[in-house]
């Protein structure tokens, strides 16, 4: 709609101010089941001018928005993440006066959930930009570092020093681990005042571009984030993802699978990376380590989708699509937005959007992929045969709630045993709210 297009062109501050004012003029009414919408609107109009109205139904789509509202990072939480980075920066500047520490990944890409780690990186790339401003009087200050034989060795030495500094003197920084021999060297630590688990690495420009790409996709359409949060919650409940590294599908791979699926809709809900590259202007041109990472940064240049499919349809079709995907032959390519032949025999092949010779899901083994396919097929089947009325009479979970319990016997008397397998208080309480039995839970779904 025109309203959505206009909203995307506004600054962050303008949108926040407008929404706060809008909330002051908004009411939420719980309607009786058989109320005539037209008559209700006529009645309300007699009391004043109604600028816009929405009718919400108790359906899977509403449940998915509830899930999003329960799990997404709050404004306060995001501010705390930037603060944690700022506190670490105070230490790094003792050694590198012009360095900055910035968050990347789930803290900033709009797909972070409450409790996720803070990925932060130490950046020296802004130093050149500040150099001209640093001139004072007739002298020019220049900061120089010893030359080291390789960039990797420099990264390891920098992180080793910063890690020791945080360990010995960082207020509230505990459990500091230096993991310097990893493919991407990093320092892990817990920041007690904010409660965050933090991973500090040295500037990775491609990781920042990946964060920006997901940020753009997350901002283009409200269905994108709701679908990602639902699929990731579903995967966690069924043991398809794990917080410990291993052969499991990662949240990043799952997110990319959702993006690919949305590119494949007719009409597409989000553009391909190649299409975003075509919209790029001179300031958007970025080549990093020989890889072309150019894509448009101005959201207003991207035409909104004409696709009007509801979230419940998209969720069912996502499970259907990947439950029948030919993983033996095809790989997933977000640049093109289509399946292409696998360049190598990894069970699951998802092209890195920028480093085109890398597979972001190389860690996934065949049994894990088969488990994912089996769960997707089962979920598609549950959504297709859904009889909401009968389930509500039997006091069984329905809609999305039926997918967020480990699959097994659906006898209500065994519900408690099934719930034990979930292992998260949040999900357990969420299952109740997903039934939308109270006006409060409906308000949560639509009021944020």
């Amino acid at each position: 709609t025109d309203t959505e297009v206009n909203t995307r062109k506004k600054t962050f501050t303008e949108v926040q101010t407008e929404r706060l004012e809008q909330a002051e003029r908004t009411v939420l009414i719980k309607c009786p089941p058989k109320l005539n919408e037209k008559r209700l609107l006529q009645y309300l109009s007699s009391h004043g001018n109604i600028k816009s109205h929405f009718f919400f139904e108790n359906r899977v789509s509403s449940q998915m928005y509830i899930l999003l509202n329960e799990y997404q990072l709050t404004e306060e939480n995001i501010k705390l993440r930037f603060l944690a980075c700022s506190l670490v920066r105070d230490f790094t500047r003792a050694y590198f006066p012009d360095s900055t520490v910035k968050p990347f990944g789930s803290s900033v890409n709009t797909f972070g959930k409450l409790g996720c780690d803070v990925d932060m990186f130490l950046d020296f790339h802004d130093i050149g930009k500040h150099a001209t401003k640093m001139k004072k009087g007739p002298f020019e200050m220049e900061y120089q570092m010893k030359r080291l034989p390789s960039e990797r060795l420099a990264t390891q030495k920098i992180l080793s020093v910063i890690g020791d500094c945080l360990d010995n003197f960082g207020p509230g920084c505990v459990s500091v681990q230096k993991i310097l021999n990893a493919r991407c060297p990093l320092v892990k630590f817990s920041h007690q005042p904010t409660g965050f688990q933090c991973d500090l690495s040295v500037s990775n420009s491609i990781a920042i571009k990946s964060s920006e790409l997901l940020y753009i996709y997350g901002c283009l359409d409200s269905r994108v984030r709701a679908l990602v949060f639902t699929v990731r919650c579903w995967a966690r409940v069924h043991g398809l993802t794990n917080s410990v590294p291993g052969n499991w599908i990662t949240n990043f791979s799952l997110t990319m699978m959702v993006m690919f699926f949305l590119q494949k809709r007719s009409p597409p809900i989000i553009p391909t990376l190649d299409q975003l590259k075509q919209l790029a202007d001179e300031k958007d041109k970025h080549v990093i380590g020989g890889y072309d990472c150019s894509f448009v940064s101005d959201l207003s240049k991207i035409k909104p989708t004409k696709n009007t499919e509801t979230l419940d349809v998209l969720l069912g079709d996502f499970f259907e699509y990947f439950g029948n995907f030919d993983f033996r032959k095809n790989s997933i390519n977000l640049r093109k937005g289509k399946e292409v032949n696998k360049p190598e025999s990894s069970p699951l092949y998802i092209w890195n959007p920028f480093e085109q010779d890398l597979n972001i899901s190389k860690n996934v083994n065949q049994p894990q992929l088969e488990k994912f396919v089996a769960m997707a097929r089962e979920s598609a089947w549950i959504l297709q045969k859904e009889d909401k009325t009968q389930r509500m009479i039997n006091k069984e979970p329905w809609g999305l709630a039926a997918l967020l319990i480990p699959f097994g016997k659906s006898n209500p008397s065994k519900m408690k045993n099934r719930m034990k397998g979930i292992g998260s208080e949040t999900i357990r309480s969420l299952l109740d709210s997903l039934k939308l039995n109270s006006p409060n839970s409906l308000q949560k779904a639509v009021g944020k």
Side-chain angles (χ1 to χ4, degrees):
T1 65
D2 291 341
T3 316
E4 285 173 344
V5 173
N6 291 336
T7 303
R8 287 210 307 271
K9 289 179 181 173
K10 288 174 184 163
T11 65
F12 180 78
T13 313
E14 285 168 347
V15 172
Q16 301 305 303
T17 307
E18 187 179 307
R19 289 198 188 286
L20 285 169
E21 289 169 354
Q22 200 176 52
E24 292 297 316
R25 307 189 304 271
T26 302
V27 290
L28 179 64
I29 299 168
K30 187 171 187 286
C31 303
K34 292 179 182 176
L35 185 81
N36 182 304
E37 294 176 9
K38 202 171 179 182
R39 280 182 61 194
L40 175 66
L41 275 177
Q42 278 175 345
Y43 173 73
L44 293 173
S45 297
S46 66
H47 293 274
N49 179 33
I50 299 170
K51 285 196 172 179
S52 57
H53 67 276
F54 308 92
F55 283 97
F56 295 94
E57 294 178 52
N58 290 2
R59 51 200 279 186
V60 176
S61 299
S62 299
Q63 293 178 321
M64 290 170 75
Y65 281 118
I66 290 172
L67 192 68
L68 176 65
N69 287 333
E70 288 279 339
Y71 275 118
Q72 68 185 347
L73 296 180
T74 61
E75 185 67 17
E76 296 79 12
N77 196 280
I78 293 169
K79 284 177 177 171
L80 269 180
R81 287 164 186 267
F82 277 86
L83 176 63
C85 290
S86 170
L87 296 172
V88 173
R89 183 208 62 198
D90 293 343
F91 277 89
T92 66
R93 285 196 170 168
Y95 296 94
F96 312 105
D98 291 319
S99 60
T100 55
V101 175
K102 301 173 184 173
F104 71 99
S106 51
S107 295
V108 294
N109 66 17
T110 76
F111 294 97
K113 80 175 180 67
L114 288 168
C116 67
D117 292 355
V118 180
D119 293 312
M120 49 176 80
F121 72 96
L122 182 59
D123 193 19
F124 306 105
H125 291 176
D126 286 348
I127 293 174
K129 294 176 192 171
H130 297 158
T132 50
K133 297 176 190 170
M134 295 289 283
K135 289 184 182 179
K136 286 180 182 172
F139 300 105
E140 185 179 331
M141 296 289 288
E142 191 178 282
Y143 179 80
Q144 290 188 328
M145 230 173 98
K146 276 184 179 177
R147 287 197 178 278
L148 286 163
S150 75
E151 195 174 332
R152 180 176 172 81
L153 188 59
T155 296
Q156 289 171 325
K157 285 190 177 294
I158 288 165
L159 287 174
S160 182
V161 169
I162 301 299
D164 286 340
C165 188
L166 289 171
D167 199 11
N168 291 311
F169 309 113
C173 296
V174 298
S175 308
V176 178
Q177 284 178 282
K178 297 190 288 186
I179 305 168
L180 304 179
N181 291 321
R183 190 174 82 86
C184 177
L186 73 148
V187 173
K188 289 178 92 72
F189 63 95
S190 295
H191 188 247
Q192 280 186 324
T194 55
F196 292 137
Q197 293 293 320
C198 304
D199 287 356
L200 174 68
S201 52
V202 170
S203 179
N204 180 346
S205 303
I206 288 185
I208 312 309
K209 294 308 284 182
S210 292
S211 301
E212 187 183 352
L213 177 67
L214 283 178
Y215 169 83
I216 287 172
Y217 283 148
C219 289
L220 286 179
D221 192 289
S222 61
R223 292 168 293 179
V224 177
R225 293 173 63 243
L227 187 58
V228 167
F229 272 69
T230 298
V231 169
R232 293 204 316 207
C233 184
W234 165 85
R236 193 165 64 257
V237 163
H238 296 295
L240 296 169
T241 53
N242 198 305
S243 54
V244 182
N247 298 320
W248 301 275
I249 295 175
T250 63
N251 274 332
F252 183 57
S253 291
L254 267 182
T255 304
M256 289 306 191
M257 289 170 88
V258 174
M259 298 304 147
F260 181 74
F261 166 76
L262 294 173
Q263 290 174 342
K264 296 275 299 171
R265 301 312 286 168
S266 181
I269 291 176
I270 57 172
T272 67
L273 184 48
D274 279 349
Q275 287 166 338
L276 292 179
K277 183 183 167 184
Q278 286 167 4
L279 294 170
D281 59 23
E282 218 33 61
K283 74 175 188 320
D284 296 324
K285 296 279 193 312
H286 294 281
V287 176
I288 302 165
Y291 298 105
D292 191 347
C293 302
S294 308
F295 57 86
V296 67
S297 57
D298 184 348
L299 290 166
S300 63
K301 289 184 179 176
I302 306 166
K303 285 183 181 171
T305 178
K306 290 189 165 59
N307 184 303
T308 57
E309 290 172 301
T310 55
L311 270 173
D312 44 343
V313 167
L314 291 173
L315 182 65
D317 283 4
F318 173 85
F319 292 134
E320 183 84 27
Y321 177 73
F322 282 112
N324 295 291
F325 190 89
D326 189 353
F327 288 106
R328 284 170 306 175
K329 184 180 135 195
N330 290 330
S331 63
I332 292 164
N333 189 317
L334 275 86
R335 288 204 84 93
K336 313 267 179 240
K338 61 183 181 186
E339 305 100 338
V340 293
N341 284 341
K342 277 203 286 194
E344 60 174 53
S345 60
S346 297
L348 175 60
Y349 198 104
I350 304 172
W351 297 69
N352 184 306
F354 302 112
E355 297 173 89
Q356 282 280 279
D357 46 357
L358 292 183
N359 171 14
I360 64 169
S361 51
K362 198 177 177 66
N363 63 306
V364 180
N365 63 12
Q366 193 62 35
Q368 286 299 319
L369 179 62
E370 285 169 8
K371 186 179 175 185
F372 169 81
V373 170
M375 292 293 174
R377 287 177 178 174
E378 175 81 357
S379 301
W381 182 73
I382 285 174
L383 286 174
Q384 279 167 9
K385 75 172 180 65
E386 182 71 27
D387 181 353
K388 187 184 91 174
T389 314
Q390 190 56 47
R391 281 178 174 269
M392 289 182 91
I393 292 166
N394 294 341
K395 296 191 175 171
E396 286 186 46
W398 61 272
L400 182 56
L403 298 183
L404 296 186
I405 321 171
F407 296 148
K409 293 170 185 171
S410 57
N411 185 336
S413 65
K414 297 191 178 177
M415 277 293 290
K416 283 184 184 171
N417 294 331
R418 292 169 66 194
M419 298 298 259
K420 281 179 189 170
I422 295 175
S424 162
E425 281 300 326
T426 320
I427 294 178
R428 276 203 283 276
S429 62
L430 188 56
L431 287 173
D432 289 333
S433 72
L434 284 174
K435 294 173 194 172
L436 288 176
N437 286 337
S438 69
N440 290 343
S441 60
L442 181 60
Q443 193 168 0
K444 258 189 183 176
V446 302
K448 289 192 181 180

